Amino acid sequence: MTKTASSVWNECLSFIEDNIKQQAYKTWFEPIKPIKLAGEALTIQVPSKFFYEWLEEHYIKLLRVALVKQLGPDAKLIYDVRMENNYSNSNPHTVKFPSSNRNPIHTSQGVNAPLDLNKRELKNPFVIPGIQKVKIESQLNPNYNFESFVEGDSNRLGRSAGLAVANKPGGTSFNPLLIYGGVGLGKTHIAHAIGVEIKDKYPDKTVLYISSEKFTQQYIDSVKGNTRNDFIHFYSMIDVLIIDDVQFLSGKTGTQDVFFHIFNHLHQNGKQVILTSDKAPVDMQDIEQRLLSRFKWGLSAELQAPDYETRVAILKNKLYRDGVEMPDEIVEYIAKHIKSNVRELEGVLISMIAQASFNRKEFTLLLTKQIVDKFVKNTKREVSIDYIQKIVSNYFEIDVNTLQSKTRKRHIVQARQLAMYFAKRMTKASLASIGSQIGKRDHATVLHACKTVDNLTETDKQFKKYVDDITKKLTF
Ligand code: ADP
Ligand code: MG
């Protein structure tokens, strides 16, 4: 039987699948397409440069063994990197030669590699040679460094990408590096750590950490003060720009626009951009498409909630740093009960230390339990859509069935719209799921309800009072 790219690759895959974890296989091997077999050279198509680098770093040995089994000792592997976002459409892909598999898998000679679109060779025409660098305060918190950041499965990708960026700012394909994840999982910490590490390694580089909120404010001020150009100029001089919580830019078109231009300028000049967000790019709302597509150029790494072992390690690390000793059973109790958020883990520790030293108490399990309970109660009271409907119905003195009914009586319609509005604001449910739970309406109805409530809150004092009252009832 003659070998084809697919047949060879399928054999390789079954070997690889037997040798790595299912999840890793799915993530890194399923997306690969075999596209060409020429002699002993197999060309595979990978979705991004990052992907290629990841394979090279983590799986090259395995690939080599698999390929040699199929094609003999002279097997060659060629990557075809599909670029999702080209600068020009004329060049649909680049061919990449793996650096680390020269032996025994030789890189194919004589294939002329098309322009590597990821190499930013464009020179900035605006840089005047010899111009003095202005010293810019980095705004970094030195305590947020890699040393104090405990590694775990939940953060490994983000952490190692962060380290890679810190080693070679602007010189990896992780540009921009977007770190995203829920509240209190360490986004800000990693963002600072990258900056701190870069400052340490490359003291001459201009690093700037800024929150999106502050960035927005500065931009607004610059527009007011007629100094928009200075604003842009300032940001264009930075070597490593770290912007925290970019989800805050949602809906702010002016700021997004200026950021887009700054981003392009920095990126084209090989400068590093690091972003954090509480959402993945696909879930960001009211962020311009062209900006979102820029975010996807580099690497998006998710921080997940730490597992139990990592939680214990984080607590112990913190205790060690603070010079406090605490029995293991107590540390374990905290780690067992506080699961979703590292900031809360730290919060419990701080409360414990405060309580114990105030009252000259020992760290007891009872004290721990009381403090943990408080934290869990305060945060775990995630409101449900049912609860919202109950509170809203009570407030208007109707019952939940009436609220859900098809009636068009104005005060009932309003109550229903308020319930939808709060469900959207206070739960993670989708519009469709909110609609189906509140009287089997569709998502458009819920969207309309949210808009109506927004409008009425601005124009109608009485209505605003409803919103405020219900908010209080729902949050206390
Ligand atoms: P986010 O920006 O994602 O909301 P932060 O970066 O502010 O979260 O982290 C919250 C707190 O938890 C900070 O004090 C941070 O130092 C700490 N923290 C988060 N992850 C870790 C970790 N892996 N190791 C040590 N401390 C961590
Ligand atoms: Mg943060």
Side-chain angles (χ1 to χ4, degrees):
M1 205 188 85
T2 49
K3 288 182 168 163
T4 64
S6 308
S7 72
V8 169
W9 184 240
N10 282 337
E11 290 297 323
C12 290
L13 281 182
S14 54
F15 173 76
I16 290 166
E17 194 175 6
D18 287 342
N19 282 285
I20 60 174
K21 287 201 182 129
Q22 187 60 20
Q23 189 56 40
Y25 177 79
K26 272 206 153 89
T27 310
W28 299 108
F29 290 92
E30 284 191 350
I32 296 176
K33 290 200 193 104
I35 53 178
K36 198 170 126 196
L37 181 69
E40 286 105 47
L42 175 70
T43 305
I44 57 172
Q45 182 187 309
V46 296
S48 66
K49 184 158 178 250
F50 167 65
F51 211 96
Y52 144 75
E53 287 176 356
W54 189 272
L55 288 173
E56 276 279 283
E57 200 177 322
H58 296 90
Y59 300 112
I60 193 61
K61 281 203 191 114
L62 188 64
L63 275 165
R64 179 178 299 147
V65 175
L67 221 64
V68 167
K69 271 175 99 146
Q70 294 305 312
L71 298 174
D74 284 333
K76 303 179 182 82
L77 182 63
I78 300 172
Y79 296 95
D80 179 336
V81 183
R82 282 287 144 181
M83 301 294 293
E84 288 165 75
N85 300 287
N86 289 330
Y87 281 124
S88 72
N89 294 326
S90 58
N91 235 325
H93 66 270
T94 62
V95 176
K96 265 282 161 194
F97 308 120
S99 50
S100 50
N101 72 356
R102 282 194 190 105
N103 204 2
I105 302 175
H106 305 282
T107 58
S108 169
Q109 300 291 319
V111 178
N112 58 355
L115 177 70
D116 181 347
L117 295 167
N118 252 21
K119 262 198 205 118
R120 316 275 166 234
E121 282 168 343
L122 298 165
K123 281 271 177 314
N124 174 11
F126 302 108
V127 169
I128 304 155
I131 197 166
Q132 285 240 314
K133 273 215 165 174
V134 184
K135 196 159 162 28
I136 292 172
E137 273 300 325
S138 290
Q139 317 289 335
L140 292 165
N141 178 348
N143 295 324
Y144 283 165
N145 51 50
F146 278 113
E147 216 196 319
S148 61
F149 190 80
V150 176
E151 181 175 359
D153 284 345
S154 54
N155 59 43
R156 187 158 290 122
L157 178 60
R159 187 180 175 280
S160 45
L163 272 170
V165 163
N167 281 327
K168 260 170 93 184
T172 67
S173 59
F174 312 154
N175 199 12
L177 173 61
L178 171 70
I179 306 276
Y180 70 92
V183 187
L185 295 182
K187 302 181 294 291
T188 298
H189 189 138
I190 290 199
H192 278 277
I194 299 169
V196 169
E197 186 82 10
I198 293 176
K199 263 309 204 192
D200 198 43
K201 284 207 167 78
Y202 307 94
D204 290 339
K205 285 211 188 286
T206 316
V207 179
L208 180 69
Y209 167 90
I210 187 153
S211 67
S212 297
E213 220 166 333
K214 205 160 166 195
F215 181 83
T216 304
Q217 195 52 49
Q218 287 179 353
Y219 174 66
I220 293 169
D221 290 346
S222 82
V223 173
K224 278 191 196 139
N226 244 333
T227 54
R228 187 173 181 273
N229 284 342
D230 295 345
F231 175 86
I232 294 173
H233 181 71
F234 172 82
Y235 277 95
S236 306
M237 290 187 315
I238 286 162
D239 297 317
V240 179
L241 178 60
I242 306 168
I243 303 202
D244 206 356
D245 290 319
V246 289
Q247 78 276 359
F248 184 80
L249 299 182
S250 86
K252 306 196 168 58
T253 45
T255 313
Q256 283 181 37
D257 189 53
V258 77
F259 177 56
F260 179 77
H261 291 293
I262 291 169
F263 177 91
N264 283 343
H265 176 90
L266 294 177
H267 199 261
Q268 279 173 15
N269 287 285
K271 305 301 172 66
Q272 180 71 45
V273 178
I274 296 144
L275 308 166
T276 77
S277 163
D278 68 355
K279 291 183 197 67
V282 286
D283 296 325
M284 289 186 200
Q285 284 172 350
D286 298 318
I287 300 261
E288 282 181 55
Q289 206 48 47
R290 56 178 185 164
L291 206 50
L292 284 183
S293 97
R294 294 298 189 270
F295 292 174
K296 292 177 199 155
W297 273 3
L299 171 67
S300 305
E302 182 177 8
L303 296 186
Q304 287 162 337
D307 55 26
Y308 174 73
E309 281 75 27
T310 312
R311 298 200 295 276
V312 170
I314 289 173
L315 287 169
K316 290 199 167 161
N317 179 279
K318 174 100 180 119
L319 286 167
Y320 174 77
R321 281 171 191 282
D322 291 349
V324 178
E325 283 188 27
M326 196 177 271
D328 276 356
E329 64 162 359
I330 290 186
V331 172
E332 283 157 16
Y333 184 89
I334 300 172
K336 221 171 256 157
H337 288 84
I338 305 277
K339 293 181 185 156
S340 57
N341 180 324
V342 181
R343 191 173 297 135
E344 275 174 19
L345 275 182
E346 291 188 337
V348 171
L349 270 197
I350 293 165
S351 292
M352 301 255 317
I353 295 168
Q355 286 279 341
S357 56
F358 253 162
N359 308 325
R360 291 197 180 39
K361 279 195 210 156
E362 295 270 302
F363 293 126
T364 61
L365 255 184
L366 185 65
L367 175 68
T368 316
K369 221 173 129 11
Q370 283 165 352
I371 290 174
V372 166
D373 275 357
K374 255 194 222 145
F375 269 81
V376 174
K377 251 195 220 116
N378 283 340
T379 54
K380 274 284 142 51
R381 246 191 72 194
E382 149 109 12
V383 288
S384 66
I385 296 182
D386 281 345
Y387 182 69
I388 291 172
Q389 297 191 75
K390 221 161 58 215
I391 293 287
V392 173
S393 303
N394 274 345
Y395 182 77
F396 289 110
E397 295 173 349
I398 56 179
D399 59 39
V400 174
N401 287 335
T402 314
L403 179 111
Q404 296 183 340
S405 71
K406 301 268 181 250
T407 175
R408 293 185 179 275
K409 280 193 191 130
R410 201 180 116 145
H411 72 286
I412 295 173
V413 172
Q414 277 192 350
R416 190 157 58 228
Q417 290 178 327
L418 278 162
M420 291 175 173
Y421 167 84
F422 281 107
K424 181 68 202 145
R425 269 194 27 186
M426 304 182 83
T427 72
K428 292 195 186 82
S430 67
L431 292 172
S433 132
I434 294 170
S436 80
Q437 293 180 66
I438 306 186
K440 302 211 168 51
R441 304 309 206 275
D442 65 9
H443 83 282
T445 309
V446 180
L447 193 62
H448 176 72
C450 294
K451 286 194 179 137
T452 308
V453 171
D454 274 334
N455 288 338
L456 284 177
T457 316
E458 276 177 24
T459 52
D460 182 335
K461 273 216 179 106
Q462 178 59 47
F463 195 83
K464 180 164 186 323
K465 187 168 169 338
Y466 294 159
V467 173
D468 290 344
D469 288 349
I470 297 169
T471 305
K472 276 197 201 109
K473 285 189 194 297
L474 285 168
T475 41
F476 292 106

